[in-house]
């Protein structure tokens, strides 16, 4: 499936639309969450050419690095720390237009300029976050938030 990734021409809505269809087909054919996280990270990364795309899983009291695409990243993030820990603690997606303006931002890469973090829910609990970094300012907006929430919603069949 993922080796045949199709990337729509046009704006990001069109790209997300086709990406979402392919993600749904992927998770319908594979029940292992880590394998799905790995392919979803790759599919998002290849579709948009972001700087870093990956998952952190909730393991005990912290976030632990999971499947990702891009440069090396910090392995563990504490509850409430950085953009990822904030999204987990506040139980919401966090869009950061300029990481330098976000107090406590954890700079895994000095080239990262904007970021979005979307919680992954399993039933009533956050079990992971999807984190995407861009080397450009203000890459992410409500369109990204909505589509990425739909995309991670497929992991535990909570999506449409
Ligand atoms: N910037 C994140 C840390 C993870 S890396 O960007 C991959 C944060 O502030 O939580």
């Amino acid at each position: 499936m993922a080796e045949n990734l199709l990337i729509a021409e046009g704006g990001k809505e069109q790209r997300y639309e086709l990406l979402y269809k392919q993600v749904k087909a992927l998770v319908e054919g594979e029940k292992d969450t880590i394998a799905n996280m790995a392919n979803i990270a790759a599919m998002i990364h290849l579709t948009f050419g972001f700087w870093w795309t990956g998952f952190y899983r909730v393991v005990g009291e912290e976030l632990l690095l999971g499947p990702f695409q891009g440069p090396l990243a910090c392995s563990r993030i504490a509850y409430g720390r950085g953009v990822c820990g904030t999204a987990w603690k506040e139980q919401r997606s966090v869009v950061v237009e300029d990481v330098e303006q976000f107090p406590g931002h954890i700079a895994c890469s000095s080239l990262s300029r904007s970021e979005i973090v979307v919680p992954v829910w399993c039933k009533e609990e956050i079990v992971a976050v999807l984190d995407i970094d861009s080397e450009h300012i203000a890459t992410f907006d409500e369109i990204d938030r909505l589509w990425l929430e739909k995309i991670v919603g497929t992991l535990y069949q909570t999506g449409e």
Side-chain angles (χ1 to χ4, degrees):
M1 165 74 223
E3 62 268 28
N4 299 320
L5 178 70
L6 300 171
I7 301 171
E9 298 196 1
K12 69 179 170 185
E13 289 266 25
Q14 286 76 28
R15 285 188 187 210
Y16 273 120
E17 211 167 304
L18 183 54
L19 173 61
Y20 179 64
K21 282 186 191 151
Q22 294 176 96
V23 167
K24 271 207 306 194
L26 172 87
V27 299
E28 273 161 22
E30 176 53 63
K31 291 297 159 225
D32 187 274
T33 305
I34 304 258
N36 286 335
M37 285 179 173
N39 268 331
I40 289 170
M43 292 161 93
I44 296 170
H45 201 71
L46 289 168
T47 296
F48 293 101
F50 293 134
W51 176 248
W52 194 93
T53 309
F55 289 90
Y56 281 89
R57 291 183 305 129
V58 174
V59 178
E61 301 301 303
E62 57 193 358
L63 292 169
L64 184 60
L65 183 62
F68 73 95
Q69 297 275 314
L72 302 189
C74 38
S75 301
R76 293 170 189 271
I77 297 174
Y79 184 72
R81 295 290 307 281
V83 187
C84 291
T86 300
W88 179 21
K89 185 178 178 184
E90 297 184 0
Q91 306 199 325
R92 63 180 180 94
S93 298
V94 179
V95 176
V96 179
E97 288 197 353
D98 179 354
V99 296
E100 285 177 16
Q101 306 302 318
F102 188 94
H105 168 256
I106 301 165
C108 289
S109 159
S110 59
L111 290 177
S112 175
R113 306 294 302 282
S114 60
E115 182 162 354
I116 184 168
V117 179
V118 176
V120 178
W121 292 87
C122 178
K123 302 191 180 104
E124 305 295 304
E125 230 179 305
I126 292 176
V127 294
V129 298
L130 168 66
D131 178 19
I132 306 178
D133 286 23
S134 163
E135 73 269 51
H136 307 291
I137 288 278
T139 293
F140 307 103
D141 58 21
E142 282 298 285
I143 294 173
D144 299 279
R145 183 180 69 74
L146 287 167
W147 280 105
L148 293 169
E149 286 175 357
K150 273 170 76 100
I151 286 170
V152 301
T154 63
L155 277 166
Y156 294 93
Q157 281 87 41
T158 57
E160 280 168 41

